[in-house]
Amino acid sequence: MLEPQCPGVVDRYIDLSGFYDREGLQPLKQNILDAFAEYQGHYKRVYRCLGAAGELRRDMNELLATPAVQQKLAKRAAGIISRELKKPGSGGAQPQQRFLSAVTHKGAVALWETVEAQADRIYELSDSYGLAHHLLNPILTAALAAGHRAVACPDPMAPDRLAHLIFPNLSLAFVTSTPEQPWPHRAYRRLRLDAMVDGDAYRAAKPRLRFTRRVAAALLEEGVAGLSQAKEAHDRLERLYNPYVDFDKVAQAADQVADTLLALGRS
């Protein structure tokens, strides 16, 4: 539900509630309320599980992304910038933000074909510990300063951190390849970010890292199971509602809105 800022002047209301058979739905009231409460309950658990998994992954990153490692990544980023961003662009200063990957009821999903459709040169960043953000962030900053159009793809488990970058005008992309979601094709170049981790720091943190990875994976699995249960509850809601919705009138309303928008585009 979105409230128009200036109804009748800039925005308008589109009321779909008139297409329900209210009288027909009344005998199903308790079933609908129960299914909706179950649906919401599953999502609360999903958010807790995925939030906890994300925090554990952040903890793993903080263990290994020492200042020395970040310096190595910055140096590697500088080399990429000098090689790939030589020519100035003519794009805007703000990146487009798009999620390329997500956690769904079917598990973790990445739309790798979206990258292939926009880039011929694809850098694969092999990364087990969340280091890619420290490489991608300076590349994005430099690209925007040079006027290149960028699509910045956050990590769905940590939306404040970059997971992938696409520069459509340069036919260039950077994808984070993890053990859970590996890049499935041959890359233009492959960078092993794990190799930049300090060996002593890794050995000291190895038991903690093993525990963190195992628990984070279990929480992610529990979150996926919760999403599957939430989908089942939502499907049950739809089965209850669908016989009492006039979908022909819904389609007519959609056509009217589409005609209005097309007319605006022609004016």
Side-chain angles (χ1 to χ4, degrees), residues 40-81:
Q40 286 190 316
H42 287 312
Y43 262 104
K44 287 179 182 177
R45 177 165 176 76
V46 166
Y47 289 136
R48 293 188 188 111
C49 288
L50 296 185
E55 287 301 313
L56 285 172
R57 289 175 57 177
R58 189 182 297 274
D59 179 69
M60 186 163 57
N61 173 259
E62 289 177 355
L63 277 172
L64 296 179
T66 62
V69 170
Q70 292 188 42
Q71 189 174 6
K72 288 181 187 177
L73 291 166
K75 185 176 180 181
R76 180 59 65 90
I80 293 172
I81 291 165

Side-chain angles (χ1 to χ4, degrees), residues 6-196:
C6 300
V9 180
V10 178
D11 306 323
R12 57 171 288 191
Y13 286 96
I14 301 174
D15 184 9
L16 302 180
S17 64
F19 305 139
Y20 288 107
D21 177 0
R22 295 176 179 273
E23 291 185 5
L25 285 168
Q26 287 308 305
L28 302 175
K29 179 178 179 180
Q30 193 56 52
N31 290 337
I32 289 172
L33 291 175
D34 290 344
F36 188 73
E38 182 185 348
Y39 171 72
Q40 286 190 316
H42 287 312
Y43 262 104
K44 287 179 182 177
R45 177 165 176 76
V46 166
Y47 289 136
R48 293 188 188 111
C49 288
L50 296 185
E55 287 301 313
L56 285 172
R57 289 175 57 177
R58 189 182 297 274
D59 179 69
M60 186 163 57
N61 173 259
E62 289 177 355
L63 277 172
L64 296 179
T66 62
V69 170
Q70 292 188 42
Q71 189 174 6
K72 288 181 187 177
L73 291 166
K75 185 176 180 181
R76 180 59 65 90
I80 293 172
I81 291 165
S82 64
R83 183 170 59 251
E84 299 289 358
L85 304 177
K86 292 178 182 178
K87 297 180 180 179
S90 57
Q94 293 297 323
Q96 292 180 298
Q97 287 217 344
R98 300 287 186 270
F99 279 100
L100 188 71
S101 52
V103 179
T104 75
H105 69 284
K106 295 181 179 180
V109 174
L111 302 179
W112 296 129
E113 63 273 15
T114 299
V115 181
E116 293 180 294
Q118 299 183 74
D120 293 325
R121 290 175 297 123
I122 299 169
Y123 281 73
E124 177 189 355
L125 311 179
S126 180
D127 181 17
S128 302
Y129 307 110
L131 301 175
H133 172 78
H134 302 291
L135 179 78
L136 295 176
N137 198 45
I139 294 174
L140 175 61
T141 300
L144 294 176
H148 294 291
R149 186 164 70 86
V151 181
C153 305
D155 182 343
M157 298 289 288
D160 60 324
R161 301 170 65 82
L162 287 171
H164 319 285
L165 278 180
I166 307 173
F167 301 104
N169 293 351
L170 297 172
S171 193
L172 174 68
F174 300 83
V175 297
T176 298
S177 179
T178 67
E180 298 79 19
Q181 278 188 308
W183 172 251
H185 307 296
R186 184 179 179 85
Y188 170 67
R189 290 193 177 180
R190 186 172 187 266
L191 306 182
R192 289 188 62 248
L193 303 191
D194 293 357
M196 297 188 182

Side-chain angles (χ1 to χ4, degrees), residues 225-258:
L227 285 171
S228 181
Q229 292 166 337
K231 184 182 183 302
E232 290 174 6
H234 187 270
D235 290 346
R236 189 158 60 253
L237 268 173
E238 287 192 344
R239 287 194 296 270
L240 291 167
Y241 269 109
N242 283 356
Y244 303 97
V245 178
D246 190 334
F247 286 104
D248 289 337
K249 289 184 178 178
V250 173
Q252 289 173 14
D255 289 339
Q256 290 173 2
V257 174

